[in-house]
Amino acid sequence: MTRFSAWNVIKNGFNGQKGWSRQWRDPEPKASYDIVIVGGGLHGLATAYYLAKNFNLKNIAVVEKGWIGGGNAGRNTTIIRSNYMLKGNREFYEASLTLWENLSHELNYNVMFSQRAHIGIYHTANALDAAARRYNIMRQTGSDGEIWSRDTIKKKIPHLNFADDARFPIHGALVQKRAGTARHDAVAWGYARAADMLGVDIIQQCEVTSIKRSAQKISSLHTSRGEITAKKVAFAVAGNTSRLWQMAELGNLPIESHKLQAFVTEPIKPLLDHVVVFGVAGAHFYISQSDKGGMVFGGDIDWYKSYAQKGNLPIVQDVAECALSLMPCLGRVKLLRHWSGVVDMSMDGSFFMCKTPLDNLYLNAGWNYGGFKASPASGWYFADLIANDRPDKVIQNHDLDRFRRGVHIDERGAGSDPKLHG
Amino acid sequence: MIQISCPFCGKRDHSEFSYGGDGQINYPSLDASQETWHDAVFLRENIYGRQIETWQHLYGCRSWLLVERDTRTHEIFSVKLAHADWQKMMEENR
């Protein structure tokens, strides 16, 4: 594997770019591994990387039914932030943001992490109170957060709708400056390449079709590329968690599969330097501009349960309305593409990372509409869980039994209806 | 666009309807064990394929409906009134 460095870029500039090797191997699956991670998304790949890096473990495989970067890894709006408030989530997402800050160096791969600030616009005095509480908690736990007045926003982002008759009048904003965006494909490729360098087998086009188990253990996975036995098995297949769970005859989960759409417009000249977000009175919207110039945005989930990776038109209309209410200048910009990913919506809007009823099975699931930003910490803590066979203190309440104990990690306070956490 | 054939109003775009949730959850009796209630409230079969679910024709006749839909394709197979007696009346008067 050729490492990326200024020297290698210059050298290959002189020899016709012939000095580069492929980014990761394409190995045949072996008959057995110490650890098999099912799901080659960002979380699965990050987990494999940190298992190899932090715990020096060998003989690890990631099996992916499609191709890496083809699932939700490539179906998000790439927003990274840590403005979570509740214990467990707070520390977890802060750890994730901290990992993002050094990720390109860590992986020797430019993930184009851009700390362009996350601007959460508020429209009422109540929203300011609620958000000030959240941002104060963030500041007191080692993160950053500040409140901008209407005048400051007007200066920083002049083309938002500041009109007196705006549908959502802008009062001010809550800002996390360390937040931002990254290039989602680069994150998948960077983790894959770095994991591969440490000996992890990344096996694409390898779908788990059935699971053989005894009373207390998974003994082997039947895949479309043969049978694979594993000492430890880890699921990181958000969107399809229930299907694998039921394949292992483990019953029902506190999860529903829903779909979330995202949109990108034709490329335009630089217009928006930040991530701008608002959520009020049933409307929910987030927008940023990619390095190619496309406006990348999204809104709520489609509301009804679905495993189809295709979105429906009412949400297109909703999101377009939000876009125009916030940035009327986008009115003539053409939508280029929209896509949809299947997400695990959980009963309290928070994720699961825990041991399971089976001794050698570990679960990483329930990322709702926000798994992208979590990827580095998800890999970090999941690897720790698998290697040490116990959850870290930070994720100890992110288990499947938390509802039984009455410990809901419900940032939105929406109750046990998964579609309300979108 | 998903279209739902409302028994009263005919075929309409799903933007006229509001999604309820699983139509097959049977909530236990009030004195059932905590474990039984936990399972009913928090656990979902999360069906990959055909399922019965509730929708309300919010911007139409406001009836609650039981819709049989495929979660893989969004294809709809049947629509009935959620109120069993009304559904029976509709079938008898057809």
Side-chain angles (χ1 to χ4, degrees):
Chain A
M1 188 77 54
T2 323
R3 280 184 67 81
F4 293 116
S5 64
W7 165 244
N8 272 331
V9 169
I10 293 164
K11 193 175 80 178
N12 282 288
F14 284 105
N15 71 1
Q17 307 292 346
K18 291 202 181 74
W20 303 110
S21 51
R22 61 176 290 150
Q23 298 289 296
W24 59 86
R25 298 166 296 128
D26 184 22
E28 283 300 312
K30 293 194 281 184
S32 83
Y33 288 95
D34 288 348
I35 302 171
V36 171
I37 297 159
V38 183
L42 299 177
H43 294 228
L45 294 168
T47 304
Y49 171 71
Y50 291 117
L51 277 168
K53 174 82 191 309
N54 293 358
F55 300 99
N56 203 22
L57 294 171
K58 306 282 174 217
N59 206 18
I60 302 165
V62 177
V63 298
E64 162 58 43
K65 72 173 172 179
W67 65 96
I68 64 166
N72 290 345
R75 295 166 190 270
N76 52 71
T77 45
T78 76
I79 297 171
I80 295 157
R81 56 185 168 85
S82 77
N83 57 351
Y84 288 73
M85 178 174 70
L86 300 180
K87 195 169 168 51
N89 279 354
R90 178 80 274 283
E91 298 87 340
F92 179 88
Y93 286 101
E94 190 56 36
S96 204
L97 182 53
T98 308
L99 287 168
W100 276 109
E101 287 178 320
N102 192 41
L103 197 59
S104 292
H105 290 119
E106 170 80 22
L107 300 179
N108 181 235
Y109 203 95
N110 185 4
V111 299
M112 294 164 77
F113 179 46
S114 158
Q115 292 181 294
R116 57 182 64 187
H118 178 273
I119 318 273
I121 290 171
Y122 63 85
H123 308 275
T124 63
N126 303 9
L128 171 62
D129 289 348
R133 174 177 173 237
R134 172 180 298 263
Y135 276 61
N136 277 329
I137 289 173
M138 285 162 62
R139 287 167 70 114
Q140 285 174 8
T141 48
S143 190
D144 68 310
E146 53 190 74
I147 291 174
W148 285 3
S149 67
R150 181 183 159 94
D151 288 341
T152 310
I153 308 173
K154 218 169 176 174
K155 220 180 301 170
K156 301 260 189 194
I157 321 174
H159 34 270
L160 299 184
N161 189 356
F162 293 100
D164 292 336
D165 61 348
R167 172 69 184 82
F168 300 111
I170 294 169
H171 283 214
L174 293 129
V175 179
Q176 187 177 29
K177 281 192 170 163
R178 286 161 63 238
T181 59
R183 168 116 167 82
H184 52 200
D185 296 321
V187 185
W189 300 333
Y191 269 121
R193 175 173 171 273
D196 179 89
M197 276 202 244
L198 296 172
V200 173
D201 280 3
I202 294 162
I203 303 158
Q204 304 182 74
Q205 307 292 339
C206 182
E207 180 171 3
V208 172
T209 50
S210 67
I211 292 168
K212 211 191 306 182
R213 59 165 272 206
S214 62
Q216 277 312 310
K217 272 173 97 99
I218 286 186
S219 36
S220 71
L221 303 168
H222 287 262
T223 76
S224 52
R225 295 179 67 176
E227 186 170 346
I228 301 174
T229 57
K231 288 185 192 147
K232 291 180 175 180
V233 178
F235 289 169
V237 291
N240 285 291
T241 310
S242 296
R243 291 176 64 199
L244 267 187
W245 198 251
Q246 283 156 7
M247 218 182 261
E249 293 171 356
L250 287 165
N252 296 341
L253 282 171
I255 288 172
E256 289 182 0
S257 293
H258 286 256
K259 66 189 151 62
L260 178 61
Q261 299 190 57
F263 308 83
V264 66
T265 69
E266 59 187 334
I268 54 177
K269 287 192 172 181
L271 173 73
L272 188 62
D273 298 332
H274 314 284
V275 179
V276 176
V277 176
F278 79 99
V280 66
H284 182 200
F285 183 70
Y286 34 93
I287 187 164
S288 65
Q289 187 169 23
S290 78
D291 290 335
K292 276 192 290 189
M295 305 302 293
V296 181
F297 53 91
D300 274 324
I301 56 173
D302 274 37
W303 275 79
Y304 48 88
K305 287 161 69 174
S306 171
Y307 285 96
Q309 285 178 318
K310 58 179 181 184
N312 243 311
L313 293 172
I315 288 287
V316 180
Q317 186 174 352
D318 278 4
V319 171
E321 284 171 357
C322 285
L324 289 197
S325 72
L326 189 69
M327 296 180 71
C329 59
L330 292 178
R332 309 287 287 183
V333 178
K334 291 191 186 99
L335 198 60
L336 193 64
R337 292 184 291 130
H338 75 121
W339 60 92
S340 163
V342 182
V343 294
D344 279 358
M345 298 302 293
S346 72
M347 284 293 166
D348 59 359
S350 289
F351 63 90
F352 301 102
M353 195 182 293
C354 54
K355 298 179 67 166
T356 67
L358 301 182
D359 293 341
N360 66 340
L361 175 66
Y362 303 86
L363 180 68
N364 175 325
W367 291 96
N368 292 274
Y369 59 92
F372 177 73
K373 70 178 94 68
S375 306
S378 174
W380 183 278
Y381 286 107
F382 199 37
D384 175 70
L385 171 70
I386 296 165
N388 294 321
D389 200 36
R390 56 100 192 95
D392 186 275
K393 209 165 69 210
V394 167
I395 56 162
Q396 66 185 357
N397 277 326
H398 284 89
D399 61 343
L400 289 168
D401 264 347
R402 64 176 178 255
F403 304 108
R404 209 172 256 120
R405 298 196 304 276
V407 181
H408 296 227
I409 309 174
D410 190 342
E411 294 275 342
R412 188 173 272 202
S416 55
D417 188 348
K419 65 179 181 291
L420 300 181
H421 297 287
Chain B
M1 179 79 84
I2 298 177
Q3 292 189 313
I4 297 173
S5 294
C6 172
F8 287 126
C9 313
K11 200 173 210 177
R12 300 293 180 86
D13 287 351
H14 89 271
S15 47
E16 286 188 17
F17 297 79
S18 173
Y19 177 73
D22 283 20
Q24 284 163 313
I25 302 174
N26 288 316
Y27 286 102
S29 63
L30 287 176
D31 57 357
S33 70
Q34 194 169 331
E35 195 55 32
T36 313
W37 269 104
H38 168 273
D39 292 357
V41 173
F42 295 113
L43 299 187
R44 293 287 182 273
E45 196 179 343
N46 203 11
I47 293 167
Y48 181 73
R50 283 191 189 200
Q51 69 167 8
I52 307 278
E53 58 198 20
T54 58
W55 290 76
Q56 189 190 16
H57 196 185
L58 192 66
Y59 300 114
C61 60
R62 299 184 70 84
S63 304
W64 277 97
L65 308 171
L66 287 175
V67 177
E68 187 185 6
R69 185 179 62 97
D70 194 318
T71 56
R72 294 166 300 182
T73 60
H74 303 164
E75 186 182 356
I76 287 177
F77 302 98
S78 72
V79 183
K80 288 180 178 161
L81 290 167
H83 197 297
D85 291 344
W86 285 10
Q87 176 62 27
K88 207 167 141 216
M89 270 168 55
M90 292 286 283
E91 282 167 11
E92 283 167 3
N93 295 333
R94 190 156 287 162

